Amino acid sequence: QVRLGQFGGGSALPGGSLRLSCEASGYSYRQHRVAWFRQAPGKEREGVACIDIYGTVTYADSVKGRFTISKDNDQDRLYLQMNSLKSEDTAIYYCTGDEDWGRRCHAVLIESDFNYWGQGTQVTVSS
């Protein structure tokens, strides 16, 4: 059974930083495309960042230069380092993985392309 367990998140001031983690069981980051999505109040879930098995990394325009996605294949941990946070980054963040082997990340992430989801972590950016 695949499980994605999320850690981190919380509250930060504008301009601050937070780090999210996602630990997998029954699933290998070495073999699959993985990503972070977020859902702000009253809005649809949107793709934030993606990393695939070829090392390709993609980001939403709204987070480029501020967020960094990375992973540890040996420990099956996925990370999202969020710097220079803005109030508009406030959302519930979800890690997610693809069940198919070797699919590539694209500039636009489609929610229905991903099969396994973490429980979600609240990130609040406010002064």
Side-chain angles (χ1 to χ4, degrees):
Q1 183 178 4
V2 174
R3 289 193 61 189
L4 302 180
Q6 295 183 223
F7 305 91
S11 298
L13 296 173
S17 298
L18 288 172
R19 189 192 200 201
L20 305 182
S21 301
C22 180
E23 185 171 330
S25 60
Y27 185 78
S28 172
Y29 289 157
R30 193 184 302 275
Q31 299 178 347
H32 300 94
R33 173 179 62 171
V34 288
W36 291 95
F37 279 68
R38 68 184 180 185
Q39 187 166 20
K43 295 187 177 181
E44 294 187 355
R45 195 174 298 188
E46 65 171 353
V48 174
C50 181
I51 184 168
D52 62 29
I53 68 169
Y54 310 103
T56 302
V57 175
T58 60
Y59 296 97
D61 288 343
S62 59
V63 305
K64 280 181 182 177
R66 301 187 299 119
F67 289 13
T68 302
I69 187 172
S70 62
K71 60 175 179 167
D72 182 331
N73 286 333
D74 292 333
Q75 299 196 17
D76 286 322
R77 288 187 179 176
L78 178 68
Y79 302 101
L80 185 68
Q81 178 65 42
M82 304 182 291
N83 298 329
S84 301
L85 284 163
K86 304 176 181 181
S87 59
E88 50 262 45
D89 295 319
T90 295
I92 299 174
Y93 285 72
Y94 300 89
C95 61
T96 182
D98 192 335
E99 69 177 356
D100 293 326
W101 180 89
R103 295 181 68 180
R104 290 188 175 272
C105 290
H106 301 289
V108 177
L109 301 179
I110 300 173
E111 183 179 353
S112 59
D113 283 348
F114 293 87
N115 308 97
Y116 306 111
W117 294 84
Q119 78 273 22
T121 302
Q122 177 69 48
V123 170
T124 302
V125 184
S126 174
S127 56

